[in-house]
Amino acid sequence: MISAQDLKGLATYFPSIEKNYGRSLDHWFNLVHKQNGMKHMEVVSWLKTEHGLGHGHANAIVAYCFAQKKT
């Protein structure tokens, strides 16, 4: 389970994600939420391969989205 502190840590990536990739966080969150049935690292790999995100950025987005689903 991801703690509130962990979520805050993940969120530190968000400004640079928007700046580097030119898309809103909502765009990335919506893409992740559409990947039904995929595991965390499968979605990270998909974001990296299909959308060119770096590993840390992709992981932060996916971890944040998956944590939101559990609450």
Side-chain angles (χ1 to χ4, degrees), residues 14 17-35 43 46-48 50-53 57-58 60-62 64-65:
F14 294 166
I17 291 170
E18 288 183 319
K19 180 182 175 187
N20 289 339
Y21 304 105
R23 301 282 186 157
S24 71
L25 290 171
D26 284 338
H27 169 80
W28 300 114
F29 296 158
N30 287 332
L31 287 177
V32 169
H33 290 302
K34 291 178 182 177
Q35 305 313 305
V43 181
W46 177 79
L47 285 171
K48 291 167 59 177
E50 296 297 319
H51 298 282
L53 272 70
H57 288 158
I61 291 168
V62 175
Y64 188 85
C65 289

